[in-house]
Amino acid sequence: IIKNFLYKLNTTFLLCCKTIVHLMNLNFNSAGTLHENIELTFEEFQRYFGTDPHRIEKINAAVRFFRIFSSCGCKAVYIGGSFVSNKNNPEDIDICFDVTDIDKEKLNVAFPGIIGPNCHNEIGKIHRDFKCQIFTFEKGDEHLFKSLQWDRYDFPKGMVKINFTNGFHHDN
């Protein structure tokens, strides 16, 4: 029994250490972008990319939208662009919500104008006022989502996924 306990304890310790080492070494390519998509908790995302007051301000602005979309059934958000690169002062934060299972009526009440034919006006205001560039995609119509994973020179760039399966919970 003691031997099994020590084995389980040691295995758990090794798994924990592997995870910590993996997260501490985010891999950026020579252009400064992530090599591939990765999944982080919000707290991990905040720790790795909220490295100065300007970045923290943009993350805090994005939290508002994380809460709204999550409360309407959104299961994940992907953060991309220069914000998830090693760029010193990104101008904005690109956030792309998977709206496949979202309650669109609830979203329209919580956030009028964010979806539908005239959403560009609201999205433009958000970008101007909060420095958040909002995108949405649904399973089966992922062209925009896929295009966000390539830079202007057609090199791949990774995004950070934050899972909202259990909702988004964060206290400022």
Side-chain angles (χ1 to χ4, degrees):
I1 294 174
I2 292 174
K3 187 176 181 180
N4 284 341
F5 173 76
L6 290 175
Y7 174 76
K8 287 180 182 178
L9 181 65
N10 192 33
T11 303
T12 302
F13 175 76
L14 289 175
L15 289 174
C16 289
C17 289
K18 257 186 156 176
T19 302
I20 291 168
V21 170
H22 173 71
L23 292 177
M24 287 175 55
N25 293 317
L26 296 178
N27 292 314
F28 297 95
N29 61 26
S30 60
T33 61
L34 291 168
H35 279 286
E36 60 189 358
N37 291 348
I38 60 171
E39 185 169 338
L40 299 174
T41 65
F42 176 74
E43 290 74 20
E44 291 166 337
F45 169 72
Q46 197 172 31
R47 186 175 20 174
Y48 294 118
F49 294 101
T51 55
D52 63 50
H54 298 288
R55 284 176 165 271
I56 292 168
E57 181 181 347
K58 289 171 183 72
I59 290 172
N60 288 338
V63 163
R64 172 184 185 178
F65 305 108
F66 293 174
R67 284 192 178 114
I68 292 169
F69 277 82
S70 173
S71 72
C72 296
C74 179
K75 301 294 184 215
V77 64
Y78 294 81
I79 299 100
S82 62
F83 198 85
V84 294
S85 72
N86 60 11
K87 185 175 181 178
N88 285 333
N89 191 18
E91 292 180 29
D92 61 8
I93 181 171
D94 297 346
I95 48 182
C96 187
F97 294 97
D98 179 351
V99 295
T100 302
D101 298 318
I102 204 161
D103 182 337
K104 291 182 180 168
E105 289 180 22
K106 187 174 180 181
L107 180 62
N108 213 18
V109 170
F111 202 168
I114 195 63
I115 55 174
N118 298 320
C119 67
H120 296 88
N121 292 335
E122 188 64 29
I123 289 172
K125 287 180 203 173
I126 292 166
H127 188 256
R128 181 191 67 225
D129 297 342
F130 297 101
K131 302 299 182 206
C132 294
Q133 185 65 55
I134 294 180
F135 303 94
T136 61
F137 76 95
E138 292 186 58
K139 300 280 190 269
D141 185 15
E142 300 169 350
H143 177 73
L144 175 63
F145 175 69
K146 289 179 181 177
S147 71
L148 293 172
Q149 296 177 64
W150 296 89
D151 70 13
R152 66 184 71 149
Y153 306 108
D154 285 332
F155 290 109
K157 60 181 181 177
M159 299 175 79
V160 172
K161 177 183 180 182
I162 299 175
N163 194 328
F164 292 162
T165 303
N166 297 318
F168 178 75
H169 308 286
H170 172 69
D171 298 322
N172 275 348

